[in-house]
Amino acid sequence: MIQTIAFYLFAFLVIVSGVFTIASRNPVHSVLWLILAFFNGAGLMVLVGAEFIAMLLVIVYVGAVAVLFLFVVMMLDIDFAELRAGFMKNFPLGIAIALVLFAELFLGVGAYQVGGLALGTPDGTAATAPGVSNIAAIGALLYGRYLFLFETAGIILLVAMIGAIVLTHRERKDTKPQNVAKQNARRPQDATVNMRPEVGKGVEL
Amino acid sequence: MDLSASLSLIAPEILLSVSGLVLLLVAGWAGDKASRWISLAACAILAACFALTAPAVCGGAMGAGADAFGGLFVADAFAGFAKLMIYAAAGAVLLIAPPYFEQYRLMRAEFPVLVLFAVLGMNVMVSATDLMTLYIGLELNSLSSYVLASFLKTDNRSSEAGLKYFVLGALASGILLFGVSLVYGFTGTTSFAGIRGALDGHMAMGALFGITFVLAGLAFKISAVPFHMWTPDVYEGAPTPVTTFFASAPKVAAIALSARVALDAFGPQADAWRQIVVFASLASIVVGAVGAIGQSNIKRLLAYSSINNVGFILIGLAAATPEGASAMLVYLAIYVAMTVGSFVAVLMLRTEGGTHTEQIADLSGLSRTRPLLALCLAIQMFSLAGIPPLFGFWGKFVVFQAAVRADLVPLAFLGIAGSVIGAFYYIKIVKVMYFDEPADVAWKDGGKAHWALLAISTAAVSPLGYLLTIWLGSLADKAAAALFLAA
């Protein structure tokens, strides 16, 4: 019972926030609605027992992607009202695409009910052992069976980072950066000096 | 197989990655001033990897004893043979690169590190026995290559080469991944052994599409026609040492990878992919030969030459026999020697002003101004053309022999006809060097490392190379036997 209630709650909120993402006038509000949609999507994932994907949604999509969207939306000066002005002009095209997609969906479901393509069956070596949470299962595969690939993928990311730095970094001679060590090494006697200037004359430093 | 056995099988890869990380730290602390020393250290590491890999090649490692990480990776004689060529080519590049970049004051300490990681990626490629390993190795190699192509930041052509390579490489990766997903969908596994089992007998139409897309993606990486468009532009624009690298090591890796995918994973369906390989092979030979004729830039010409040579190597693959695979490896070994030799000779064409000339017209009369260099370059060109007393002929001979034995007589015949067309532009360079009036160019002498590399590669492709045939042939046979063990 409680699962059903939770499901309908999350599903309703996903749809509502999805609608508001499209409909809201302020793009920043759109992104905030999108974040709400992601959270509720994560809730749905927890309900079907895919807690890893739920966490991915929260950490990757909410934590990184949505915040990135937010930054982009706030930094770029896009006139969304003008973008929307084209809505009526492109309305027939949009309807046509929607119809095509709907027809594909219909065909796909029909074909599935007739009996799918003869695809191969997985060899079962990567199947989850019963009673293991899927985070533990993914972790065991990633750090066990696929350790070699996982580590090599890490090196790919390192190479991408080196590449980005090598291609864009250039030595600049005209900047004056702060040198903390030099600052800390400076003693009072180097910096201050006692003077006894005569009356009416300035200080010669 | 337990972890420690797997780790001992990937000792060269571990050495490469750990030393790459250490050298990266050294590069960070010591700065660009140390780049020459870091390059030499990277060369020493490649030599150590060579020593670590050589026993597997000489001993003909194969079968379950060479499998690491539960069938993701294999360190057999075939992979070892390819790795030895990769180390040799990468080492040569590390020797010739620092003087070139120093002229432009753009030698950076990260260059040797990127080369090491590219070599690591290539090692993973040639050892891949799983579609996931294949893709990861390919991406590691490609990402390093994109950066290397645009390493000469102040040169627009270099940036253009890097961008073109990146965009088209990403497209090729997409095509390859699409094929991989189809193959996985219709066979239910990503391991080559599993795909082999699933493709035995009747094959679904979707799997055929998958094979085609995978081969198309790989054809891009080996720059076989019709996926060769990027090659001349990238080879011309990239800094010459990097072009030397592209034309040798990654090509060896991609060809070895294609051979393993075709003969191991798709082995039971050889009749299905043979027509693709035959088409790519003939088209590469013809386009490589005809496209090179009008070129005035020697790097572009060598790019077409590499397309042409890939065509001949694919003839060995089309045979789909152990003999064909062995012939491919022999051809590859000779091809690496010839390519490195030709590019080193091109690098030595420095004028007094310090600029590198790339125009064929500037070579005129080189036999009188730089007789020794002209002689070496002429030997390389004759060898690339496959003129008999030189070693380049032997590579073509074994490939055609394998094709004839596999009842592909028309293919061998057309290949020979194509090599006659190709001979024209190689010999044209010799003609320009020996029979034209000397151009008004003041040459600067090349470095010691350049002369040493040129001497080694010229000796290898000269008739002296025939002393190696028995030794090279037996190693290649062992390697091919390891590849065909599953069949």
Side-chain angles (χ1 to χ4, degrees), chain A residues 117-123 145-146 148-149 152-153 155-156 158-160 162-163 166-167 169, chain B residues 17 21 24 69 72-73 108 110 117 120 132-133 136 143-144 147 150-151 153 185-186 188-189:
Chain A
L117 276 173
L119 287 174
T121 40
D123 55 8
R145 190 171 143 83
Y146 297 114
F148 175 71
L149 299 182
T152 318
I155 293 186
I156 294 183
L158 177 72
V159 166
I162 301 172
V166 164
L167 292 182
H169 174 254
Chain B
S17 27
L21 295 174
L24 188 62
F69 298 104
L72 288 176
F73 187 96
R108 301 197 56 148
E110 286 85 0
F117 283 135
L120 174 65
M132 286 187 285
T133 321
I136 290 208
L143 266 178
S144 318
V147 180
S150 42
F151 210 76
K153 280 188 290 188
F186 281 90
T189 171

mmCIF file of all heavy atoms in Angstrom, chain A residues 117-123 145-146 148-149 152-153 155-156 158-160 162-163 166-167 169, chain B residues 17 21 24 69 72-73 108 110 117 120 132-133 136 143-144 147 150-151 153 185-186 188-189:
data_model
loop_
_atom_site.group_PDB
_atom_site.id
_atom_site.type_symbol
_atom_site.label_atom_id
_atom_site.label_comp_id
_atom_site.label_asym_id
_atom_site.label_seq_id
_atom_site.Cartn_x
_atom_site.Cartn_y
_atom_site.Cartn_z
ATOM 1 N N LEU A 117 12.889 -9.430 -32.001
ATOM 2 C CA LEU A 117 13.963 -9.940 -32.840
ATOM 3 C C LEU A 117 14.725 -11.023 -32.093
ATOM 4 O O LEU A 117 14.745 -11.042 -30.867
ATOM 5 C CB LEU A 117 14.941 -8.805 -33.162
ATOM 6 C CG LEU A 117 14.595 -7.893 -34.322
ATOM 7 C CD1 LEU A 117 15.594 -6.760 -34.359
ATOM 8 C CD2 LEU A 117 14.642 -8.671 -35.615
ATOM 9 N N ALA A 118 15.351 -11.902 -32.861
ATOM 10 C CA ALA A 118 16.137 -12.966 -32.235
ATOM 11 C C ALA A 118 17.476 -12.406 -31.786
ATOM 12 O O ALA A 118 18.479 -12.544 -32.472
ATOM 13 C CB ALA A 118 16.331 -14.110 -33.219
ATOM 14 N N LEU A 119 17.477 -11.751 -30.665
ATOM 15 C CA LEU A 119 18.731 -11.217 -30.142
ATOM 16 C C LEU A 119 19.453 -12.312 -29.382
ATOM 17 O O LEU A 119 18.853 -13.302 -28.976
ATOM 18 C CB LEU A 119 18.442 -10.041 -29.210
ATOM 19 C CG LEU A 119 17.996 -8.753 -29.869
ATOM 20 C CD1 LEU A 119 17.618 -7.735 -28.833
ATOM 21 C CD2 LEU A 119 19.106 -8.212 -30.745
ATOM 22 N N GLY A 120 20.740 -12.125 -29.190
ATOM 23 C CA GLY A 120 21.501 -13.088 -28.414
ATOM 24 C C GLY A 120 21.119 -12.987 -26.947
ATOM 25 O O GLY A 120 20.568 -11.988 -26.494
ATOM 26 N N THR A 121 21.396 -14.025 -26.198
ATOM 27 C CA THR A 121 21.112 -13.962 -24.769
ATOM 28 C C THR A 121 22.424 -13.773 -24.033
ATOM 29 O O THR A 121 23.416 -14.412 -24.369
ATOM 30 C CB THR A 121 20.442 -15.249 -24.284
ATOM 31 O OG1 THR A 121 21.088 -16.338 -24.935
ATOM 32 C CG2 THR A 121 18.970 -15.254 -24.617
ATOM 33 N N PRO A 122 22.448 -12.892 -23.023
ATOM 34 C CA PRO A 122 23.683 -12.688 -22.269
ATOM 35 C C PRO A 122 24.182 -14.003 -21.678
ATOM 36 O O PRO A 122 23.381 -14.882 -21.347
ATOM 37 C CB PRO A 122 23.271 -11.711 -21.174
ATOM 38 C CG PRO A 122 22.059 -11.047 -21.688
ATOM 39 C CD PRO A 122 21.371 -12.034 -22.557
ATOM 40 N N ASP A 123 25.509 -14.122 -21.594
ATOM 41 C CA ASP A 123 26.055 -15.397 -21.118
ATOM 42 C C ASP A 123 25.904 -15.582 -19.612
ATOM 43 O O ASP A 123 26.247 -16.631 -19.083
ATOM 44 C CB ASP A 123 27.519 -15.550 -21.534
ATOM 45 C CG ASP A 123 28.367 -14.386 -21.091
ATOM 46 O OD1 ASP A 123 27.855 -13.538 -20.341
ATOM 47 O OD2 ASP A 123 29.540 -14.312 -21.482
ATOM 48 N N ARG A 145 36.097 -8.006 -11.598
ATOM 49 C CA ARG A 145 36.198 -8.549 -12.949
ATOM 50 C C ARG A 145 36.716 -7.514 -13.944
ATOM 51 O O ARG A 145 37.517 -7.834 -14.821
ATOM 52 C CB ARG A 145 34.804 -9.020 -13.349
ATOM 53 C CG ARG A 145 34.725 -9.817 -14.605
ATOM 54 C CD ARG A 145 33.316 -10.382 -14.722
ATOM 55 N NE ARG A 145 32.878 -10.375 -16.095
ATOM 56 C CZ ARG A 145 33.181 -11.325 -16.971
ATOM 57 N NH1 ARG A 145 33.913 -12.344 -16.585
ATOM 58 N NH2 ARG A 145 32.755 -11.262 -18.206
ATOM 59 N N TYR A 146 36.235 -6.275 -13.831
ATOM 60 C CA TYR A 146 36.609 -5.266 -14.818
ATOM 61 C C TYR A 146 37.625 -4.273 -14.281
ATOM 62 O O TYR A 146 37.712 -3.153 -14.758
ATOM 63 C CB TYR A 146 35.360 -4.541 -15.328
ATOM 64 C CG TYR A 146 34.419 -5.462 -16.042
ATOM 65 C CD1 TYR A 146 33.165 -5.755 -15.544
ATOM 66 C CD2 TYR A 146 34.824 -6.067 -17.224
ATOM 67 C CE1 TYR A 146 32.326 -6.635 -16.201
ATOM 68 C CE2 TYR A 146 33.998 -6.947 -17.887
ATOM 69 C CZ TYR A 146 32.749 -7.227 -17.378
ATOM 70 O OH TYR A 146 31.932 -8.091 -18.026
ATOM 71 N N PHE A 148 40.784 -4.059 -14.605
ATOM 72 C CA PHE A 148 41.740 -3.614 -15.614
ATOM 73 C C PHE A 148 41.149 -2.490 -16.462
ATOM 74 O O PHE A 148 41.784 -1.453 -16.681
ATOM 75 C CB PHE A 148 42.125 -4.804 -16.480
ATOM 76 C CG PHE A 148 43.011 -4.463 -17.626
ATOM 77 C CD1 PHE A 148 44.326 -4.113 -17.409
ATOM 78 C CD2 PHE A 148 42.530 -4.484 -18.919
ATOM 79 C CE1 PHE A 148 45.143 -3.782 -18.458
ATOM 80 C CE2 PHE A 148 43.345 -4.159 -19.974
ATOM 81 C CZ PHE A 148 44.651 -3.812 -19.745
ATOM 82 N N LEU A 149 39.888 -2.687 -16.912
ATOM 83 C CA LEU A 149 39.259 -1.672 -17.756
ATOM 84 C C LEU A 149 39.015 -0.399 -16.965
ATOM 85 O O LEU A 149 39.174 0.711 -17.483
ATOM 86 C CB LEU A 149 37.945 -2.194 -18.312
ATOM 87 C CG LEU A 149 38.055 -3.425 -19.192
ATOM 88 C CD1 LEU A 149 36.703 -3.813 -19.722
ATOM 89 C CD2 LEU A 149 38.996 -3.147 -20.335
ATOM 90 N N THR A 152 42.225 1.495 -16.609
ATOM 91 C CA THR A 152 42.635 2.075 -17.890
ATOM 92 C C THR A 152 41.757 3.269 -18.243
ATOM 93 O O THR A 152 42.238 4.271 -18.789
ATOM 94 C CB THR A 152 42.577 1.015 -19.003
ATOM 95 O OG1 THR A 152 43.100 -0.200 -18.502
ATOM 96 C CG2 THR A 152 43.392 1.432 -20.198
ATOM 97 N N ALA A 153 40.463 3.166 -17.924
ATOM 98 C CA ALA A 153 39.576 4.300 -18.174
ATOM 99 C C ALA A 153 40.035 5.507 -17.362
ATOM 100 O O ALA A 153 39.953 6.650 -17.829
ATOM 101 C CB ALA A 153 38.143 3.925 -17.826
ATOM 102 N N ILE A 155 43.100 6.234 -16.740
ATOM 103 C CA ILE A 155 44.229 6.835 -17.462
ATOM 104 C C ILE A 155 43.720 7.655 -18.641
ATOM 105 O O ILE A 155 44.292 8.701 -18.976
ATOM 106 C CB ILE A 155 45.225 5.742 -17.894
ATOM 107 C CG1 ILE A 155 45.853 5.162 -16.637
ATOM 108 C CG2 ILE A 155 46.289 6.307 -18.812
ATOM 109 C CD1 ILE A 155 46.937 4.184 -16.872
ATOM 110 N N ILE A 156 42.620 7.199 -19.271
ATOM 111 C CA ILE A 156 42.050 7.992 -20.373
ATOM 112 C C ILE A 156 41.672 9.379 -19.863
ATOM 113 O O ILE A 156 41.980 10.394 -20.492
ATOM 114 C CB ILE A 156 40.804 7.296 -20.962
ATOM 115 C CG1 ILE A 156 41.207 6.001 -21.630
ATOM 116 C CG2 ILE A 156 40.100 8.208 -21.956
ATOM 117 C CD1 ILE A 156 40.075 5.291 -22.304
ATOM 118 N N LEU A 158 42.938 10.920 -17.341
ATOM 119 C CA LEU A 158 44.172 11.662 -17.053
ATOM 120 C C LEU A 158 44.742 12.255 -18.337
ATOM 121 O O LEU A 158 45.153 13.424 -18.370
ATOM 122 C CB LEU A 158 45.192 10.730 -16.393
ATOM 123 C CG LEU A 158 46.541 11.378 -16.125
ATOM 124 C CD1 LEU A 158 46.433 12.367 -14.993
ATOM 125 C CD2 LEU A 158 47.604 10.353 -15.818
ATOM 126 N N VAL A 159 44.741 11.443 -19.410
ATOM 127 C CA VAL A 159 45.273 11.927 -20.684
ATOM 128 C C VAL A 159 44.446 13.108 -21.182
ATOM 129 O O VAL A 159 45.000 14.101 -21.685
ATOM 130 C CB VAL A 159 45.304 10.785 -21.722
ATOM 131 C CG1 VAL A 159 45.514 11.333 -23.120
ATOM 132 C CG2 VAL A 159 46.402 9.819 -21.395
ATOM 133 N N ALA A 160 43.121 13.025 -21.020
ATOM 134 C CA ALA A 160 42.273 14.139 -21.449
ATOM 135 C C ALA A 160 42.644 15.405 -20.690
ATOM 136 O O ALA A 160 42.720 16.499 -21.264
ATOM 137 C CB ALA A 160 40.810 13.790 -21.227
ATOM 138 N N ILE A 162 45.630 16.077 -19.200
ATOM 139 C CA ILE A 162 46.947 16.550 -19.643
ATOM 140 C C ILE A 162 46.794 17.282 -20.966
ATOM 141 O O ILE A 162 47.351 18.370 -21.179
ATOM 142 C CB ILE A 162 47.931 15.372 -19.836
ATOM 143 C CG1 ILE A 162 48.112 14.581 -18.550
ATOM 144 C CG2 ILE A 162 49.282 15.868 -20.323
ATOM 145 C CD1 ILE A 162 48.924 13.314 -18.760
ATOM 146 N N GLY A 163 45.991 16.686 -21.868
ATOM 147 C CA GLY A 163 45.817 17.288 -23.185
ATOM 148 C C GLY A 163 45.238 18.683 -23.092
ATOM 149 O O GLY A 163 45.744 19.614 -23.717
ATOM 150 N N VAL A 166 47.970 20.985 -21.718
ATOM 151 C CA VAL A 166 49.084 21.204 -22.638
ATOM 152 C C VAL A 166 48.670 22.135 -23.765
ATOM 153 O O VAL A 166 49.417 23.028 -24.166
ATOM 154 C CB VAL A 166 49.583 19.859 -23.207
ATOM 155 C CG1 VAL A 166 50.444 20.071 -24.431
ATOM 156 C CG2 VAL A 166 50.348 19.099 -22.165
ATOM 157 N N LEU A 167 47.439 21.953 -24.280
ATOM 158 C CA LEU A 167 47.046 22.725 -25.453
ATOM 159 C C LEU A 167 46.617 24.146 -25.116
ATOM 160 O O LEU A 167 46.637 25.007 -25.982
ATOM 161 C CB LEU A 167 45.913 22.014 -26.196
ATOM 162 C CG LEU A 167 46.318 20.696 -26.851
ATOM 163 C CD1 LEU A 167 45.157 20.092 -27.592
ATOM 164 C CD2 LEU A 167 47.481 20.900 -27.794
ATOM 165 N N HIS A 169 47.429 25.864 -21.882
ATOM 166 C CA HIS A 169 48.228 26.592 -20.908
ATOM 167 C C HIS A 169 49.409 27.263 -21.586
ATOM 168 O O HIS A 169 50.086 26.667 -22.406
ATOM 169 C CB HIS A 169 48.743 25.626 -19.843
ATOM 170 C CG HIS A 169 49.679 26.258 -18.879
ATOM 171 N ND1 HIS A 169 51.029 26.025 -18.921
ATOM 172 C CD2 HIS A 169 49.477 27.122 -17.875
ATOM 173 C CE1 HIS A 169 51.606 26.729 -17.968
ATOM 174 N NE2 HIS A 169 50.689 27.397 -17.320
ATOM 175 N N SER B 17 52.344 2.504 -17.492
ATOM 176 C CA SER B 17 51.471 3.482 -16.833
ATOM 177 C C SER B 17 52.151 4.087 -15.618
ATOM 178 O O SER B 17 52.072 5.301 -15.407
ATOM 179 C CB SER B 17 50.121 2.872 -16.468
ATOM 180 O OG SER B 17 50.206 1.508 -16.266
ATOM 181 N N LEU B 21 53.154 8.041 -15.160
ATOM 182 C CA LEU B 21 52.737 8.902 -14.050
ATOM 183 C C LEU B 21 53.940 9.558 -13.384
ATOM 184 O O LEU B 21 53.927 10.749 -13.072
ATOM 185 C CB LEU B 21 51.950 8.093 -13.021
ATOM 186 C CG LEU B 21 50.616 7.520 -13.511
ATOM 187 C CD1 LEU B 21 50.002 6.621 -12.479
ATOM 188 C CD2 LEU B 21 49.670 8.632 -13.864
ATOM 189 N N LEU B 24 55.327 12.202 -15.496
ATOM 190 C CA LEU B 24 54.445 13.371 -15.483
ATOM 191 C C LEU B 24 54.756 14.255 -14.275
ATOM 192 O O LEU B 24 54.801 15.488 -14.380
ATOM 193 C CB LEU B 24 52.993 12.906 -15.431
ATOM 194 C CG LEU B 24 51.941 13.985 -15.598
ATOM 195 C CD1 LEU B 24 52.083 14.631 -16.951
ATOM 196 C CD2 LEU B 24 50.564 13.394 -15.453
ATOM 197 N N PHE B 69 42.847 -11.414 -16.679
ATOM 198 C CA PHE B 69 41.595 -10.784 -16.259
ATOM 199 C C PHE B 69 40.372 -11.473 -16.861
ATOM 200 O O PHE B 69 39.454 -10.829 -17.358
ATOM 201 C CB PHE B 69 41.592 -9.293 -16.606
ATOM 202 C CG PHE B 69 42.664 -8.537 -15.900
ATOM 203 C CD1 PHE B 69 43.792 -8.135 -16.562
ATOM 204 C CD2 PHE B 69 42.552 -8.264 -14.549
ATOM 205 C CE1 PHE B 69 44.800 -7.459 -15.887
ATOM 206 C CE2 PHE B 69 43.546 -7.583 -13.879
ATOM 207 C CZ PHE B 69 44.666 -7.188 -14.550
ATOM 208 N N LEU B 72 39.645 -10.701 -20.699
ATOM 209 C CA LEU B 72 39.560 -9.321 -21.195
ATOM 210 C C LEU B 72 40.797 -8.956 -21.999
ATOM 211 O O LEU B 72 40.777 -8.053 -22.812
ATOM 212 C CB LEU B 72 39.444 -8.338 -20.026
ATOM 213 C CG LEU B 72 38.144 -8.293 -19.260
ATOM 214 C CD1 LEU B 72 38.268 -7.342 -18.095
ATOM 215 C CD2 LEU B 72 37.027 -7.860 -20.165
ATOM 216 N N PHE B 73 41.886 -9.640 -21.730
ATOM 217 C CA PHE B 73 43.209 -9.210 -22.196
ATOM 218 C C PHE B 73 44.007 -10.468 -22.477
ATOM 219 O O PHE B 73 43.878 -11.453 -21.755
ATOM 220 C CB PHE B 73 43.842 -8.397 -21.063
ATOM 221 C CG PHE B 73 45.137 -7.724 -21.410
ATOM 222 C CD1 PHE B 73 45.147 -6.411 -21.818
ATOM 223 C CD2 PHE B 73 46.337 -8.399 -21.298
ATOM 224 C CE1 PHE B 73 46.333 -5.780 -22.116
ATOM 225 C CE2 PHE B 73 47.523 -7.770 -21.598
ATOM 226 C CZ PHE B 73 47.516 -6.452 -22.008
ATOM 227 N N ARG B 108 57.687 20.488 -24.993
ATOM 228 C CA ARG B 108 57.153 20.476 -23.639
ATOM 229 C C ARG B 108 57.405 19.119 -23.029
ATOM 230 O O ARG B 108 57.454 18.106 -23.715
ATOM 231 C CB ARG B 108 55.659 20.779 -23.664
ATOM 232 C CG ARG B 108 55.373 22.118 -24.291
ATOM 233 C CD ARG B 108 54.012 22.559 -23.950
ATOM 234 N NE ARG B 108 53.816 22.583 -22.508
ATOM 235 C CZ ARG B 108 53.023 23.440 -21.908
ATOM 236 N NH1 ARG B 108 52.372 24.333 -22.604
ATOM 237 N NH2 ARG B 108 52.851 23.390 -20.607
ATOM 238 N N GLU B 110 55.569 17.310 -21.463
ATOM 239 C CA GLU B 110 54.449 16.377 -21.524
ATOM 240 C C GLU B 110 54.482 15.521 -22.789
ATOM 241 O O GLU B 110 53.769 14.537 -22.869
ATOM 242 C CB GLU B 110 53.113 17.133 -21.469
ATOM 243 C CG GLU B 110 52.762 17.687 -20.116
ATOM 244 C CD GLU B 110 53.393 19.046 -19.882
ATOM 245 O OE1 GLU B 110 54.106 19.539 -20.779
ATOM 246 O OE2 GLU B 110 53.181 19.606 -18.797
ATOM 247 N N PHE B 117 51.634 7.174 -22.921
ATOM 248 C CA PHE B 117 50.240 6.779 -22.722
ATOM 249 C C PHE B 117 49.619 6.300 -24.031
ATOM 250 O O PHE B 117 48.781 5.395 -24.019
ATOM 251 C CB PHE B 117 49.434 7.929 -22.117
ATOM 252 C CG PHE B 117 49.682 8.105 -20.648
ATOM 253 C CD1 PHE B 117 49.891 9.353 -20.093
ATOM 254 C CD2 PHE B 117 49.716 7.001 -19.807
ATOM 255 C CE1 PHE B 117 50.125 9.508 -18.741
ATOM 256 C CE2 PHE B 117 49.949 7.141 -18.457
ATOM 257 C CZ PHE B 117 50.157 8.402 -17.920
ATOM 258 N N LEU B 120 50.664 2.854 -24.336
ATOM 259 C CA LEU B 120 49.862 2.021 -23.434
ATOM 260 C C LEU B 120 48.520 1.687 -24.094
ATOM 261 O O LEU B 120 48.073 0.537 -24.077
ATOM 262 C CB LEU B 120 49.648 2.767 -22.111
ATOM 263 C CG LEU B 120 48.716 2.093 -21.115
ATOM 264 C CD1 LEU B 120 49.297 0.788 -20.628
ATOM 265 C CD2 LEU B 120 48.431 3.013 -19.943
ATOM 266 N N MET B 132 34.988 -4.388 -24.990
ATOM 267 C CA MET B 132 35.177 -3.246 -24.091
ATOM 268 C C MET B 132 36.649 -2.873 -24.000
ATOM 269 O O MET B 132 37.015 -1.698 -24.032
ATOM 270 C CB MET B 132 34.615 -3.579 -22.710
ATOM 271 C CG MET B 132 33.111 -3.573 -22.695
ATOM 272 S SD MET B 132 32.460 -3.765 -21.049
ATOM 273 C CE MET B 132 32.744 -5.485 -20.756
ATOM 274 N N THR B 133 37.519 -3.888 -23.898
ATOM 275 C CA THR B 133 38.954 -3.620 -23.870
ATOM 276 C C THR B 133 39.376 -2.933 -25.164
ATOM 277 O O THR B 133 40.156 -1.978 -25.154
ATOM 278 C CB THR B 133 39.737 -4.931 -23.725
ATOM 279 O OG1 THR B 133 39.041 -5.774 -22.840
ATOM 280 C CG2 THR B 133 41.116 -4.687 -23.232
ATOM 281 N N ILE B 136 38.363 0.757 -25.034
ATOM 282 C CA ILE B 136 39.140 1.553 -24.082
ATOM 283 C C ILE B 136 40.552 1.786 -24.605
ATOM 284 O O ILE B 136 41.083 2.902 -24.540
ATOM 285 C CB ILE B 136 39.124 0.864 -22.701
ATOM 286 C CG1 ILE B 136 37.723 0.991 -22.134
ATOM 287 C CG2 ILE B 136 40.182 1.433 -21.790
ATOM 288 C CD1 ILE B 136 37.622 0.999 -20.675
ATOM 289 N N LEU B 143 42.918 9.613 -27.947
ATOM 290 C CA LEU B 143 42.948 10.876 -27.206
ATOM 291 C C LEU B 143 44.365 11.431 -27.152
ATOM 292 O O LEU B 143 44.582 12.623 -27.349
ATOM 293 C CB LEU B 143 42.420 10.676 -25.787
ATOM 294 C CG LEU B 143 40.948 10.974 -25.599
ATOM 295 C CD1 LEU B 143 40.543 10.688 -24.185
ATOM 296 C CD2 LEU B 143 40.660 12.426 -25.918
ATOM 297 N N SER B 144 45.349 10.548 -26.892
ATOM 298 C CA SER B 144 46.730 11.027 -26.874
ATOM 299 C C SER B 144 47.111 11.540 -28.254
ATOM 300 O O SER B 144 47.788 12.560 -28.380
ATOM 301 C CB SER B 144 47.685 9.906 -26.470
ATOM 302 O OG SER B 144 47.170 9.164 -25.417
ATOM 303 N N VAL B 147 45.934 15.101 -29.124
ATOM 304 C CA VAL B 147 46.745 16.145 -28.492
ATOM 305 C C VAL B 147 48.084 16.262 -29.214
ATOM 306 O O VAL B 147 48.557 17.370 -29.494
ATOM 307 C CB VAL B 147 46.950 15.831 -27.001
ATOM 308 C CG1 VAL B 147 47.773 16.912 -26.357
ATOM 309 C CG2 VAL B 147 45.619 15.684 -26.309
ATOM 310 N N SER B 150 48.049 18.300 -32.480
ATOM 311 C CA SER B 150 48.010 19.770 -32.424
ATOM 312 C C SER B 150 49.045 20.304 -31.443
ATOM 313 O O SER B 150 48.855 21.340 -30.835
ATOM 314 C CB SER B 150 46.610 20.241 -32.054
ATOM 315 O OG SER B 150 46.082 19.436 -31.050
ATOM 316 N N PHE B 151 50.162 19.581 -31.313
ATOM 317 C CA PHE B 151 51.143 19.958 -30.306
ATOM 318 C C PHE B 151 51.868 21.246 -30.658
ATOM 319 O O PHE B 151 52.312 21.977 -29.774
ATOM 320 C CB PHE B 151 52.157 18.823 -30.133
ATOM 321 C CG PHE B 151 52.717 18.738 -28.752
ATOM 322 C CD1 PHE B 151 51.973 18.204 -27.732
ATOM 323 C CD2 PHE B 151 53.979 19.212 -28.475
ATOM 324 C CE1 PHE B 151 52.467 18.132 -26.450
ATOM 325 C CE2 PHE B 151 54.488 19.148 -27.185
ATOM 326 C CZ PHE B 151 53.723 18.603 -26.177
ATOM 327 N N LYS B 153 51.479 24.450 -31.148
ATOM 328 C CA LYS B 153 50.338 25.334 -30.932
ATOM 329 C C LYS B 153 50.353 26.569 -31.817
ATOM 330 O O LYS B 153 49.315 27.102 -32.174
ATOM 331 C CB LYS B 153 50.320 25.797 -29.474
ATOM 332 C CG LYS B 153 49.748 24.781 -28.542
ATOM 333 C CD LYS B 153 49.586 25.370 -27.166
ATOM 334 C CE LYS B 153 50.920 25.598 -26.504
ATOM 335 N NZ LYS B 153 50.789 25.997 -25.101
ATOM 336 N N GLY B 185 24.205 -7.027 -29.038
ATOM 337 C CA GLY B 185 22.780 -7.340 -28.998
ATOM 338 C C GLY B 185 22.465 -8.680 -29.632
ATOM 339 O O GLY B 185 21.629 -9.427 -29.124
ATOM 340 N N PHE B 186 23.154 -8.997 -30.722
ATOM 341 C CA PHE B 186 22.796 -10.222 -31.437
ATOM 342 C C PHE B 186 23.604 -11.435 -31.006
ATOM 343 O O PHE B 186 23.286 -12.551 -31.396
ATOM 344 C CB PHE B 186 22.923 -10.003 -32.944
ATOM 345 C CG PHE B 186 21.751 -9.257 -33.513
ATOM 346 C CD1 PHE B 186 21.753 -7.879 -33.595
ATOM 347 C CD2 PHE B 186 20.619 -9.939 -33.910
ATOM 348 C CE1 PHE B 186 20.667 -7.188 -34.080
ATOM 349 C CE2 PHE B 186 19.523 -9.256 -34.397
ATOM 350 C CZ PHE B 186 19.539 -7.878 -34.476
ATOM 351 N N GLY B 188 24.944 -11.500 -27.547
ATOM 352 C CA GLY B 188 24.746 -11.614 -26.110
ATOM 353 C C GLY B 188 26.017 -11.589 -25.298
ATOM 354 O O GLY B 188 25.995 -11.855 -24.098
ATOM 355 N N THR B 189 27.158 -11.254 -25.909
ATOM 356 C CA THR B 189 28.399 -11.205 -25.148
ATOM 357 C C THR B 189 29.348 -10.225 -25.814
ATOM 358 O O THR B 189 29.199 -9.906 -26.992
ATOM 359 C CB THR B 189 29.062 -12.596 -25.062
ATOM 360 O OG1 THR B 189 30.349 -12.440 -24.495
ATOM 361 C CG2 THR B 189 29.194 -13.223 -26.417
#
